[in-house]
């Protein structure tokens, strides 16, 4: 659904082909010596993280219609006040498509935090109204342990962070 409803239409296609390509990358990236040591839970975590990592970019028509009930209002004001003389400014201030352009930028910047919230079962409306998506994700993951879901949420968010080497935050093992 990424790229539907007029949001992210010009972006990289995030269809099942994107997921398939990521799975192929994991296949050659992980050494055979590591593959044989991985548990079923580790393979499940990896596979789910690949499927879910960009899901925060899904925007429904309902969400877009409710955009002014979120942090988007402040985001938009900040962009419009601080963007000067650029192609970005022209797009942002376009009377017809400015909100669409800015909302996709808002979502793009926050998509990793959004998917983390949704996997954790939090429909926090500050980053967009996503009650339907949150319910679907919750239903999909309902049989998984809460710690597993918390780790999955953190992994999905981490692909948009610059502190992945912080092993005090991203623990390799948990007891």
């Amino acid at each position: 659904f990424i790229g539907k409803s007029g949001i992210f239409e010009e972006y990289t296609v995030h269809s099942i082909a994107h997921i398939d390509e990521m799975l192929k990358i994991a296949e050659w990236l992980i050494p055979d010596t590591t593959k044989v040591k991985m548990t079923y839970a580790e393979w499940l975590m990896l596979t789910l993280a690949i499927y879910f990592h960009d899901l925060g970019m899904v925007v429904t028509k309902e969400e877009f219609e409710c955009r002014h009930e979120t942090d988007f209002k402040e985001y938009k004001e900040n962009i419009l006040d601080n963007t000067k003389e650029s192609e970005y400014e022209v797009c942002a201030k376009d009377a017809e498509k400015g909100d669409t352009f800015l909302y996709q930028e808002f979502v793009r910047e926050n998509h990793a935090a959004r998917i983390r919230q949704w996997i954790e079962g939090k429909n926090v409306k500050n980053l967009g109204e996503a009650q339907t998506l949150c319910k679907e994700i919750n239903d999909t993951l309902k049989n998984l342990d809460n710690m597993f879901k918390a780790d999955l949420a953190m992994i999905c968010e981490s692909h948009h962070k610059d502190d992945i080497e912080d092993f005090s935050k991203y623990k390799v093992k948990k007891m």
Side-chain angles (χ1 to χ4, degrees):
F1 291 98
I2 299 169
K4 306 292 183 196
S5 305
I7 305 288
F8 299 119
E9 288 179 336
E10 309 85 24
Y11 275 62
T12 302
V13 175
H14 281 78
S15 66
I16 193 65
H18 176 64
I19 301 302
D20 290 342
E21 192 58 36
M22 301 268 317
L23 290 167
K24 286 177 190 172
I25 290 170
E27 186 65 30
W28 64 257
L29 185 65
I30 301 170
D32 289 338
T33 54
T34 302
K35 287 177 189 172
V36 297
K37 294 178 183 177
M38 287 177 66
T39 66
Y40 292 125
E42 290 166 336
W43 281 111
L44 178 62
M45 180 70 74
L46 175 63
T47 303
L48 288 175
I50 289 171
Y51 271 90
F52 280 78
H53 79 280
D54 279 337
L55 202 58
M57 292 176 65
V58 173
V59 177
T60 63
K61 288 179 184 179
E62 295 79 20
E63 176 185 345
F64 184 73
E65 290 169 6
C66 295
R67 67 192 175 279
H68 296 293
E69 299 168 21
T70 69
D71 289 351
F72 173 67
K73 182 179 177 183
E74 292 81 23
Y75 176 87
K76 179 180 175 179
E77 289 170 2
N78 184 44
I79 293 293
L80 294 178
D81 288 345
N82 296 304
T83 304
K84 305 287 183 236
E85 300 179 29
S86 68
E87 187 177 333
Y88 191 91
E89 179 189 28
V90 172
C91 292
K93 292 184 176 178
D94 182 279
E96 187 178 324
K97 295 189 176 185
D99 261 19
T100 300
F101 172 77
L102 286 175
Y103 198 71
Q104 76 183 12
E105 289 299 294
F106 172 74
V107 170
R108 183 186 57 78
E109 287 183 24
N110 292 293
H111 80 279
R114 286 163 52 102
I115 190 56
R116 181 176 188 160
Q117 287 179 351
W118 301 347
I119 291 171
E120 290 175 341
K122 300 173 185 170
N123 180 28
V124 182
K125 295 181 181 178
N126 64 316
L127 299 180
E129 168 50 54
Q131 185 174 354
T132 303
L133 290 170
C134 195
K135 183 184 179 324
E136 288 295 324
I137 290 168
N138 192 296
D139 287 348
T140 301
L141 302 177
K142 67 183 174 200
N143 293 323
L144 296 176
D145 176 86
N146 285 335
M147 184 186 299
F148 186 94
K149 288 190 281 191
D151 288 344
L152 176 62
M154 183 176 56
I155 290 168
C156 288
E157 182 184 41
S158 74
H159 90 282
H160 211 251
K161 298 276 188 182
D162 61 1
D163 63 350
I164 196 70
E165 74 285 340
D166 183 354
F167 291 111
S168 64
K169 180 176 182 182
Y170 302 108
K171 304 223 183 279
V172 176
K173 286 190 175 197
K174 287 188 178 179
M175 298 298 165

